[in-house]
């Protein structure tokens, strides 16, 4: 009887918890559901009213138009060019910022130098600098380097801004690695990069995944840097999407806008679906080691 009584509240607690989770998940996923269903509807069906209704006659025409022929500004070539702009921006920016963050974390934990705490403190401070405060200095730097209004310029901006975060992640992760491993490798004649490549990096997969997902999401979804440092054909996806949705000329095609928004969200969604569990493992491993 005591066992049944004890099991009763536990079962009830699970029902309440899972019920609340289901409710919150439904609320959170409703906008995505509306975006998907609207993107497969015709304009006549959208004007019918019920935004939660499934498409009566699904069509992929809005997706085709959003990708290849939707008008953005004065051109009507769709979002495909801007999509590839974002991809050309995000891949090198993520790789470079992650690699530099790993090297910084390695140096700040295993090759300490005089003033290393000050350097780390300054990089940590960089994590709290608002986007808006770096716009003018960064614009001047890009102008002097000849990288204004270019994908390479956006790569540089995101590498510089993200370096504080990636350094923090790797520094905390490497802090728990035994210094004796590095010292033993040095006694065996291993150099700076040999120790990094053969000892630390093979054990860094969890934190690398964390950095890649974090940086990929932030860079792909960034709007402020994109609209500030690029325009026209060199603009990233977020800027093109804003220009498409904010257009006030012609017929407002909500289905095309929704299709473009889903296309813009797909890369980050795919990254989280494929690597989400490793992201959580990396966060837990970093917390334990930190």
């Amino acid at each position: 009887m005591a066992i049944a009584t004890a099991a009763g509240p536990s079962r009830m607690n699970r029902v309440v918890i899972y019920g609340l989770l289901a409710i919150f998940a439904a609320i959170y996923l409703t906008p995505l559901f509306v975006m998907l269903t609207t993107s497969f509807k015709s304009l006549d069906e959208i004007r019918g009213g019920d935004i939660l209704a499934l498409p009566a006659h699904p069509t992929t025409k809005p997706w085709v138009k959003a990708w290849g022929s939707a008008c953005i500004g004065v051109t009507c070539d769709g979002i495909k060019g801007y999509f590839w702009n974002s991809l050309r921006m995000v891949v090198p920016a993520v790789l470079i910022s992650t690699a530099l963050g790993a090297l910084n974390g390695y140096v700040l934990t295993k090759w300490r130098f005089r003033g290393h705490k000050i350097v780390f403190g300054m990089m940590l401070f960089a994590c709290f600098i608002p986007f808006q405060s770096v716009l003018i200095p960064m614009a001047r730097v890009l102008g002097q380097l000849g990288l204004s209004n270019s994908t390479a310029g956006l790569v540089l901006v995101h590498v510089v801004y993200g370096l504080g975060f990636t350094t923090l992640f790797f520094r905390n992760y490497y802090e728990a690695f035994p210094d004796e491993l590095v010292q033993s490798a040095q006694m065996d004649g291993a150099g700076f990069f040999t120790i990094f490549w053969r000892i630390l990096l093979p054990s860094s997969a969890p934190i690398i995944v964390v950095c890649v997902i974090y940086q990929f999401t932030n860079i792909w979804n960034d709007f402020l840097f994109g609209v500030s440092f690029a325009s026209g054909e060199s603009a990233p996806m977020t800027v093109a999407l804003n220009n498409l949705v904010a257009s006030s000329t012609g017929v407002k095609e909500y289905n095309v806008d929704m299709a473009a928004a889903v296309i813009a969200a797909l890369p980050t969604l795919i990254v989280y679906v494929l690597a989400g569990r490793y992201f959580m493992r990396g966060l837990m491993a970093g917390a334990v080691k930190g």
Side-chain angles (χ1 to χ4, degrees):
M1 190 69 178
I3 296 177
T5 303
S10 177
R11 188 178 300 111
M12 181 59 68
N13 288 342
R14 287 198 296 270
V15 171
V16 172
I17 291 172
Y18 288 128
L20 289 174
L21 288 175
I23 293 172
F24 292 142
I27 294 173
Y28 184 80
L29 293 174
T30 296
L32 178 60
F33 174 79
V34 172
M35 288 171 58
L36 282 172
T37 55
T38 304
S39 68
F40 288 104
K41 293 179 181 178
S42 64
L43 282 178
D44 292 335
E45 189 175 351
I46 293 173
R47 296 189 186 104
D50 190 358
I51 63 173
L52 295 177
L54 293 173
H57 304 286
T59 176
T60 58
K61 291 182 180 179
W63 288 73
V64 175
K65 184 171 184 178
W67 180 255
S69 61
C71 292
I72 301 172
V74 296
T75 62
C76 295
D77 297 324
I79 62 173
K80 60 178 183 293
Y82 305 99
F83 182 92
W84 297 122
N85 284 347
S86 287
L87 204 60
R88 285 191 292 267
M89 171 189 68
V90 72
V91 171
V94 168
L95 293 179
I96 294 172
S97 60
T98 301
L100 291 178
L103 284 172
N104 287 344
Y106 170 49
V107 171
L108 290 172
T109 54
K110 305 308 176 190
W111 294 79
R112 291 190 174 99
F113 51 91
R114 182 178 298 178
H116 69 91
K117 292 184 178 180
I118 297 176
V119 173
F120 177 66
M122 293 176 64
M123 300 201 72
L124 184 62
F125 176 74
C127 298
F128 302 97
I129 298 177
F131 280 31
Q132 294 83 353
S133 63
V134 302
L135 292 181
I136 295 178
M138 190 62 71
R140 295 195 61 181
V141 170
L142 293 179
Q144 293 174 353
L145 295 176
L147 296 176
S148 298
N149 197 29
S150 67
T151 300
L154 288 177
V155 171
L156 176 62
V157 170
H158 287 294
V159 168
V160 171
Y161 194 85
L163 194 56
F165 292 96
T166 58
T167 298
L168 173 63
F169 294 154
F170 277 99
R171 187 264 182 190
N172 289 344
Y173 190 80
Y174 288 154
E175 184 68 31
F177 273 77
D179 294 335
E180 291 76 12
L181 288 176
V182 176
Q183 295 170 359
S184 298
Q186 288 177 313
M187 293 177 63
D188 291 337
F192 178 89
F193 286 104
T194 301
I195 296 173
F196 175 70
W197 185 258
R198 294 189 178 181
I199 297 178
L200 267 72
L201 202 60
S203 303
S204 303
I207 202 64
I208 290 175
V209 171
V210 170
C211 285
V212 167
I213 294 179
Y214 180 86
Q215 282 291 88
F216 186 96
T217 303
N218 284 344
I219 296 172
W220 184 271
N221 292 332
D222 170 70
F223 175 76
L224 183 59
F225 286 157
V227 76
S228 300
F229 303 130
S231 61
E233 294 182 356
S234 63
M237 182 71 186
T238 49
V239 177
L241 181 62
N242 176 73
N243 295 339
L244 172 65
V245 174
S247 176
S248 58
T249 60
V251 178
K252 192 63 177 174
E253 297 179 301
Y254 295 102
N255 49 0
V256 175
D257 293 347
M258 293 298 184
V262 174
I263 293 173
L266 278 178
T268 51
L269 182 62
I270 292 173
V271 167
Y272 269 105
V273 169
L274 295 180
R277 57 179 178 175
Y278 302 106
F279 181 77
M280 295 306 300
R281 291 178 185 175
L283 285 179
M284 293 175 63
V288 171
K289 287 180 178 292

